[in-house]
Amino acid sequence: MASHLTTALGKPPRHVRAATMMGLRWLAIGGQLLAVLVTAFGLRFTLPLVLCLLVIAASVALNIVLRLKVPLTHRFEDQDATLLLAYDIVQLTLLLYLTGGLGNPFSMLFLGPLMISAVSLSPSRTLLLGLLTGAAATLLVRVHQPLPWMPGQHLDMPPVFSLGTWMAVVIGAGFVGLYASRVAEEARQLADALAATELVLAREQHLTQLDGLAAAAAHELGTPLATITLVIKELMRGAAQPGGLEPQVLRDDLALLDQESSRCRVILGKLTSLNDEKDGPLERMALSHLIEEVISPHRHFGVALSVVREGQGGEPVCARNPGLLYGLGNLVENAIDYARAGVVIESRWDASNVGVTITDDGPGFSPDVLARLGEPYLSSKGQDRRAKTEDGSGLGLGLFIAKTLLERSGASLDIRNASAPATGAIVAIDWPREAFERDGALPTPTGRYVALQALQGL
């Protein structure tokens, strides 16, 4: 059981989704723009309107660039997420500098980026952002433009008020960072505990299967043991007769005993056949064999399947794993579902990378579906699908499971449409060669995989 508890659970999880980060920034942009416009045109207070709008426009430009460059389902690494949150702090600092510094009541928005970091990123990253927030608040105490106020009037906040606001921001940042980090860490520990529980349950399922196999083996052992008993009785009866047994008869009986005892060993050997961690000669397969096993069940759908191989050096060899076969098989099946005439599966490799590209000549993904591919319960069912025509198919669970399993193996997926005038969808899967060929790089299915596979059939 210890070996199961130490099983690698795949790549370390990445945290903040691009859709979440950009959505929160659009919300902040809307709030900032509303506050500036109401102050300038509703209250008619004096403020540097053009400069404020330029600062807000910078965030708009950043969000547009991210939307064009990064899929909505992408999850930022810690370093990238930290830089984006640091930008939000700096952008808010510039806006507060133009509108009164810490005298502006919106200075409490400093806690927003820090809260996101505390929940999603490591404590060291949160500490860096907390220090940046403290430095920005300290700077705004001494350096800032006048607080927007009625034309012809100037409002100076007392130093004690500015000091109190500074203390509120700094103490609030510390409290939010510590409290939110603690809550997020407890949630992560709970998730790890659930994952460990899944591994234990998988081990228990193994033992349950072993019980059934033992009963079947006991039933099978009845025949050879009965033969052995009969032969022994014949030998004993022959030995009791005068002159004993003839040499040829004795040799035949001994050969039969040896044969039946070997059969008993084979039956008993089945009791250990559930050990998934054995790596026999059939548990390793070349990339070309992997592709052939994936596509062979799909050759009867009336779609031409073409396989293209291109590589430098020896062909990579991977561990045989149901998760990998399921992930690639689901992507091939989706391509066949929507292809008009053919699907091309291209495998390529070199000294450092291994890749598989699946291309079909169908209509491709619609823009709204393409932006959310890889999310569960995303309906993309069409009327002309070949493999899945029952009600309820096309919920996106199959693609979600396939994407998850392949990413656990170390792969990265690029899903896009073909460039005009060509039509169709392109799914490119790429592994570092070391991860593709590493023993155990492809995790065996756990209870979560089985549950997801069952959900895919809903």
Side-chain angles (χ1 to χ4, degrees), residues 340 359-364 417-426:
R340 293 189 177 97
T359 306
D360 65 71
D361 59 355
N417 287 329
S419 301
T423 62
I426 301 175

Side-chain angles (χ1 to χ4, degrees), residues 28-54 56-57 60 95 99 104 106 148:
I29 290 171
Q32 293 171 357
L33 188 60
L34 180 63
V36 168
L37 294 180
V38 168
T39 302
F41 299 105
L43 300 177
R44 299 186 180 279
F45 287 177
T46 302
L47 78 163
L49 180 60
V50 175
L51 291 177
C52 290
L53 293 178
L54 287 176
I56 296 173
V60 174
L95 202 56
T99 56
N104 190 319
F106 290 101

Side-chain angles (χ1 to χ4, degrees), residues 277-298:
E277 295 180 1
K278 286 189 175 180
D279 191 18
L282 298 180
E283 298 304 315
R284 307 287 296 175
M285 57 198 318
L287 178 60
S288 58
H289 296 159
L290 171 67
I291 298 299
E292 182 59 32
E293 184 163 341
V294 165
I295 67 176
S296 59
H298 306 289

Side-chain angles (χ1 to χ4, degrees), residues 257-328:
L257 283 175
D258 181 65
Q259 175 184 334
E260 295 302 308
S261 63
S262 298
R263 184 179 175 187
C264 289
R265 285 193 296 270
V266 172
I267 295 172
L268 291 174
K270 293 179 182 179
L271 291 173
T272 59
S273 65
L274 292 179
N275 187 358
D276 293 330
E277 295 180 1
K278 286 189 175 180
D279 191 18
L282 298 180
E283 298 304 315
R284 307 287 296 175
M285 57 198 318
L287 178 60
S288 58
H289 296 159
L290 171 67
I291 298 299
E292 182 59 32
E293 184 163 341
V294 165
I295 67 176
S296 59
H298 306 289
R299 292 189 180 277
H300 61 281
F301 287 118
V303 174
L305 296 178
S306 303
V307 179
V308 179
R309 298 173 55 198
E310 181 182 357
Q312 302 175 6
E315 186 175 4
V317 177
C318 69
R320 185 187 194 89
N321 180 269
L324 181 62
L325 293 170
Y326 176 87
L328 291 175

Side-chain angles (χ1 to χ4, degrees), residues 370-389:
L370 187 62
R372 298 173 54 209
L373 278 179
E375 296 183 4
Y377 301 104
L378 170 63
S379 178
S380 59
K381 180 181 176 183
Q383 297 298 323
D384 57 346
R385 298 192 67 182
R386 294 180 176 84
K388 296 179 182 177
T389 57

